Structure formats: structure tokens, C-alpha cells
């Protein structure tokens, strides 16, 4: 009997130690993903989702056009601008995930060092995602400008080369360094204003869903499970940030339906509300939520799959 009691005590102690290890694993400790691995996995995942779901993005952009859905092209030519999207998706996503995965453990160590109320995993995910978005937008914004022009059948945008020349010629001071880049960085500020709140909502939810799912089943989530977490968190974030997306689209298109140039985000909001009604700020919400929900599933599933494939065996 005494041997049985000792045996049970040893098993209880072992179970307790194992539970503590699991709690640590699924708690504040951040996984380490090498920079090159996250860079390549992010680039491959970004290209996969942008090409696969491009027609839905086209419909969303046309719904948000000041000229109206049908005038902007309706359901025809839904693949216009796909070359611009494909060219920018890989480096944009690679920059984001390379920065995000690198900054997560750095911020986590900083939180552990200073402690206090700032030692929250959600906060580290928010900060890392925001830094990642700022880096990714250096590539994403020019891509979005070219893509939006082509998707809405703007004059002079029959090819990617002609669209690029057109945007470069727009040296009107409404974009960052327009004397050098023309209109390529028009909307950079509002894009950051859209992407940072989006990341603030999506990534803490995504990481938390994965942690809770991992705790429930006792091991890390699979790529399929991570994809489901990314889909759900992305759909929530997409709905809340749709008004910012409408403002971003209008700024990138450059002018209202009368051809009068927008003078900034405030001017867009003022004109939209006074001339079209506040409900227009939610235009395109259905395809946006659908696109990002499906895209989140494809994107995060592809990212986690490529990450596992590319990860050095010593770190898996």
C-alpha cells in the first residue's frame, strides 16, 4: 500500500510539472521563428491568397468607387490589376511577417524585463503587428494604388505599365514625396490608419484563439486550426475597419465623381457624408468581410504550413 501511495504521489507530481510546462508553453512565452523562415512563408502565403481571391477584392473596390459599381466596371474584367497585386503581395506579406515574428519575442523580453501592467501577450502582439504593418505598407500602398486604378477602369490604365506611368505623373503634392514617386504613396497615412487598427483587433484575437485551442487539446494548433483562427479574427477586424477602408479607397482613386481631387482623409469623410450619406462609409462591407474571412483562412493556413515546411528541424 505504501508503495502504491508513493507511486501515486510521483505521478501527481509529474502531472503537475507537465501542466506547468504546458501552461508556460501556451502562456506568455513566444515561439521563435527565424527571420528568413517567416519572410519566405509570409511571401508565399501572401501571393497565394491575393491571387486566389482577387475577383472578390475587385468587386469590393468597385462598390466603394465614387462613380458607382456599374460605372467602375460592374462584374466585368474582375482580374484587371492582378499583375500589380501579384507583384506586391509577396514582398508586402514577407515584410510584415518577417517584422512581426522578429518583434514578438523582442517585445516579450522587454515586457518581462520591465514587468508591470505592460506584461500582456495581447499588447506585444498589437505592437509587433503595428510595426509589421508600417513596414509592409512601404510595398503595399503603391500596389494598392495601381491595383485600385486598374480595377475601376480609370482612363489610361489598360496595362500595368501605362498605369504605373500615369500614377508617376501625378505630381500634385497630395502624396508623400510626390515629386519623386508621383501618386504611388497617395493614401499611405490612411492605409496605416486602417491597417494598424485592423492589426490591433485581428492579431491578438488570432494568437489568443490559437492559445486557447492549444490549451484545450494539449498541443499546438495545426495549420488547419490556425487557418480557422485567422479566418474568424480577420472577419471581425474587417467589419470594424470598413469605414477606414472606404476612405483609403477614395483617396487612392484620387478624386470624386466630378473629378475634383480629394484634399485628405477629412475631405473624403466630409464629402461622402454630405453628398452620399454616412451609410456609404460601410459600402463593400459584405465582400470585404467575406474576402478577408476566406483570405484569412487561406493566408494563415498557408503561412503556418509553409512555416512548418521551412522551419529548421532543430527548432520545430
Amino acid at each position: 500500500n505504501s508503495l502504491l501511495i508513493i507511486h501515486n504521489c510521483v505521478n501527481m507530481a509529474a502531472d503537475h510539472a507537465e501542466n506547468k510546462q504546458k501552461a508556460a508553453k501556451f502562456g506568455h512565452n513566444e515561439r521563435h521563428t527565424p527571420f528568413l523562415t517567416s519572410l519566405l512563408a509570409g511571401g508565399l502565403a501572401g501571393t497565394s491568397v491575393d491571387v486566389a481571391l482577387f475577383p472578390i477584392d475587385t468587386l469590393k473596390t468597385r462598390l466603394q468607387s465614387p462613380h458607382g459599381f456599374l460605372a467602375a466596371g460592374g462584374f466585368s474584367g474582375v482580374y484587371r490589376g492582378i499583375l500589380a497585386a501579384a507583384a506586391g503581395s509577396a514582398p508586402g506579406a514577407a515584410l510584415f511577417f518577417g517584422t512581426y515574428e522578429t518583434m514578438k519575442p523582442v517585445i516579450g523580453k522587454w515586457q518581462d524585463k520591465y514587468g508591470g501592467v505592460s506584461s500582456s501577450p495581447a499588447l506585444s502582439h498589437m505592437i509587433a503587428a503595428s510595426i509589421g504593418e508600417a513596414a509592409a505598407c512601404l510595398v503595399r500602398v503603391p500596389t494598392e494604388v495601381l491595383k485600385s486604378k486598374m480595377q475601376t477602369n480609370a482612363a489610361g490604365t489598360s496595362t500595368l505599365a501605362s498605369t504605373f506611368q500615369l500614377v508617376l505623373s501625378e505630381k500634385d503634392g497630395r502624396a508623400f514625396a510626390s515629386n519623386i514617386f508621383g501618386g504611388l504613396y497617395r493614401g499611405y497615412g490612411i492605409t496605416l490608419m486602417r491597417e494598424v487598427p485592423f492589426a490591433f483587433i485581428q492579431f491578438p484575437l488570432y494568437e489568443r484563439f490559437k492559445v486557447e485551442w492549444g490549451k484545450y487539446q494539449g498541443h499546438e494548433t495545426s495549420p488547419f486550426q490556425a487557418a480557422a483562427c485567422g479566418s474568424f479574427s480577420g472577419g471581425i477586424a474587417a467589419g470594424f475597419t470598413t469605414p477606414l477602408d472606404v476612405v483609403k479607397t477614395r483617396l487612392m482613386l484620387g478624386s470624386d465623381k466630378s473629378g475634383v481631387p480629394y484634399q485628405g482623409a477629412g475631405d473624403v469623410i466630409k464629402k461622402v457624408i454630405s453628398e452620399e450619406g454616412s451609410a456609404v462609409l460601410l459600402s463593400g462591407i459584405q465582400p470585404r468581410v467575406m474576402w478577408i474571412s476566406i483570405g484569412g483562412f487561406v493566408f494563415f493556413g498557408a503561412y503556418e504550413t509553409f512555416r512548418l515546411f521551412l522551419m529548421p528541424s532543430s527548432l520545430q
Side-chain angles (χ1 to χ4, degrees), residues 106-147:
V106 171
I107 296 168
K109 288 178 182 177
W110 178 80
Q111 289 177 306
D112 291 339
K113 180 178 179 180
Y114 293 100
V117 294
S118 63
S119 58
S120 164
L123 181 61
S124 67
H125 299 152
M126 288 179 181
I127 296 172
S130 299
I131 297 171
E133 291 293 356
C137 281
L138 294 173
V139 173
R140 188 178 297 153
V141 170
T143 301
E144 287 278 334
V145 170
L146 296 173
K147 176 174 68 70

Side-chain angles (χ1 to χ4, degrees), residues 21-309:
Q21 289 178 346
K22 285 181 179 179
K25 183 177 181 181
F26 295 110
H28 295 283
N29 291 346
E30 296 290 355
R31 72 182 186 188
H32 173 66
T33 303
F35 177 75
L36 183 59
T37 298
S38 56
L39 201 72
L40 292 173
L44 290 167
T47 303
S48 300
V49 69
D50 283 352
V51 171
L53 300 178
F54 188 80
I56 301 176
D57 179 56
T58 298
L59 298 179
K60 183 268 300 182
T61 301
R62 290 175 178 176
L63 281 168
Q64 295 175 347
S65 170
H67 301 286
F69 179 71
L70 293 177
F75 290 99
S76 64
V78 292
Y79 281 97
R80 277 180 59 90
I82 193 170
L83 289 179
S89 60
L95 266 177
F96 173 80
F97 266 106
T99 305
Y100 177 67
E101 293 284 11
T102 301
M103 293 305 299
K104 272 199 304 182
V106 171
I107 296 168
K109 288 178 182 177
W110 178 80
Q111 289 177 306
D112 291 339
K113 180 178 179 180
Y114 293 100
V117 294
S118 63
S119 58
S120 164
L123 181 61
S124 67
H125 299 152
M126 288 179 181
I127 296 172
S130 299
I131 297 171
E133 291 293 356
C137 281
L138 294 173
V139 173
R140 188 178 297 153
V141 170
T143 301
E144 287 278 334
V145 170
L146 296 173
K147 176 174 68 70
S148 297
K149 288 275 191 184
M150 296 186 75
Q151 285 175 325
T152 54
N153 292 287
T157 62
S158 57
T159 66
L160 179 58
S162 64
T163 307
F164 184 72
Q165 292 176 349
L166 174 69
V167 174
L168 274 182
S169 68
E170 297 173 343
K171 303 180 186 296
D172 54 9
R174 290 180 290 141
F176 171 74
S178 62
N179 58 325
I180 301 173
F181 301 112
L184 282 175
Y185 281 96
R186 183 187 300 118
Y188 181 82
I190 189 61
T191 302
L192 271 184
M193 286 175 61
R194 179 197 67 175
E195 297 295 349
V196 169
F198 183 92
F200 262 48
I201 297 169
Q202 183 186 33
F203 279 88
L205 287 176
Y206 168 66
E207 298 284 2
R208 190 64 188 177
F209 291 157
K210 287 200 302 176
V211 166
E212 293 301 326
W213 204 333
K215 282 181 179 179
Y216 176 76
Q217 63 189 7
H219 57 82
E220 285 190 354
T221 52
S222 67
F224 180 83
Q225 292 167 335
C229 295
S231 175
F232 191 57
S233 59
I236 294 171
F240 279 109
T241 56
T242 295
L244 295 173
D245 187 55
V246 172
V247 175
K248 184 272 305 178
T249 299
R250 294 293 182 95
L251 275 177
M252 287 183 169
L253 292 175
S255 57
D256 61 18
K257 59 185 177 182
S258 301
V260 179
Y262 291 119
Q263 300 302 314
D267 184 44
V268 172
I269 296 171
K270 182 180 177 181
K271 282 187 175 181
V272 166
I273 292 176
S274 63
E275 298 175 9
E276 303 173 64
S278 57
V280 173
L281 290 172
L282 291 176
S283 58
I285 188 171
Q286 295 93 341
R288 174 170 163 80
V289 170
M290 180 175 68
W291 167 56
I292 291 179
S293 295
I294 300 172
F297 188 91
V298 176
F299 183 77
F300 285 103
Y303 175 75
E304 295 291 345
T305 300
F306 287 128
R307 176 186 170 275
L308 285 175
F309 179 76

